[in-house]
Structure formats: structure tokens, C-alpha cells
Amino acid sequence: MESSALVLVGAVDWVHPAWRGQFYPEGLPDDWLLSYYNTQFEAVYLAAERWRDVSPATWAQWLADTQDGFHFILETAARAPYVPASGRVVVADAAWEAKHVSWLDAQPDLRALAARITQHAARAEPLFVFSRSGDLARLEQVKSLKEVLGY
């Protein structure tokens, strides 16, 4: 995995109906959602059902639609015919996820999250902070915490 960022914030998927008009500008075409999402967040977590049947052409488009530092973290899938060979795409088995992912919904204590971020930074290991629910307010808090900590 290639990453110079130590804290990468995002949500499970970039398609959240509640984000229309709140996060995504009104009238933004569906095929521009990922490009816009990528301007606000550094990573996305995709459930196996979302990514395992994605074609190579779609993967190529997703990678082209995102910046070089953006990462796709993929839930392990029993059947995965295609995973792009990119340092920006990680298939996260349980051990990797336990080490590198902090679930915002399960870890609402920002002080504890700050301590975990500091531990990862001391080891120069990236930490991915994701919201399963897509809670924009909590994601903004984490982005602010990241700034306060200097990451």
C-alpha cells in the first residue's frame, strides 16, 4: 500500500441518499459522486457485495476519477474475479483491518481516537478512520481532529 498520509478519513461507500443536497451539491450527476467524494475524503471502504463483481473497466474509471493519494479499502470477498493491481487498492482481511482501521461509529471517544492516531503516527503506519453510517458530522469532527493533531 502506498500512502504518505498517516490518517485517512472516509465512509463505507460514497453513495448515501441522505448526502444529496447536504454533502453533494444539488444536481450532481451520479457518475460524478466518487469524484466529488474524493475531494473531501482520502479513502472509501467497500463491502464485498459492492466491489466483487465490478468490471476492470469500472475499476479503471474509479481509479482515474480519484486522486493519487486516495485509497479503496475492500472487505475480503469469498469470490473476487478481479482486483486491480494498484497500491491504492487494499483487500482488508480481518487482521489487517484490526490493525489499520478505526470504526468511527464504534469508537465515538475522540480522545481515544487521538491516542490511536498518535500511536500509528509514531510507527509511521497509516490509520483509516471510517464511518459505517456515513455520519457527516462525526466525519467532520475527525477531519478537525486530524488538523489539530497536525496530520
Side-chain angles (χ1 to χ4, degrees):
M1 180 188 77
E2 304 160 8
S3 181
S4 59
L6 290 175
V7 182
L8 298 101
V9 181
V12 172
D13 213 318
W14 60 86
V15 179
H16 296 270
W19 288 9
R20 287 280 187 180
Q22 182 181 359
F23 172 73
Y24 293 119
E26 288 291 338
L28 188 70
D30 288 349
D31 60 338
W32 292 7
L33 295 179
L34 176 58
S35 294
Y36 185 85
Y37 173 94
N38 153 116
T39 68
Q40 304 299 309
F41 299 108
E42 301 88 12
V44 67
Y45 185 95
L46 296 177
E49 304 82 45
R50 173 75 157 103
W51 72 267
R52 73 174 161 226
D53 294 323
V54 171
S55 71
T58 298
W59 269 115
Q61 187 62 54
W62 286 356
L63 288 165
D65 285 349
T66 54
Q67 300 172 41
D68 287 340
F70 187 85
H71 287 76
F72 294 87
I73 307 303
L74 311 178
E75 177 183 49
T76 302
R79 174 182 61 78
Y82 179 76
V83 177
S86 170
R88 299 193 305 125
V89 178
V90 176
V91 178
D93 63 24
W96 187 94
E97 190 173 308
K99 185 175 180 181
H100 294 284
V101 174
S102 181
W103 290 105
L104 184 56
D105 310 84
Q107 178 72 302
D109 181 353
L110 292 180
R111 289 183 190 275
L113 179 58
R116 185 162 184 203
I117 289 170
T118 302
Q119 291 169 354
H120 273 257
R123 295 189 305 261
E125 293 178 347
L127 179 67
F128 293 84
V129 182
F130 291 117
S131 171
R132 285 187 173 97
S133 65
D135 183 335
L136 289 171
R138 295 292 290 162
L139 287 165
E140 284 303 318
Q141 287 178 332
V142 173
K143 288 169 62 177
S144 295
L145 176 63
K146 177 179 164 176
E147 285 182 39
V148 167
L149 294 173
Y151 303 109

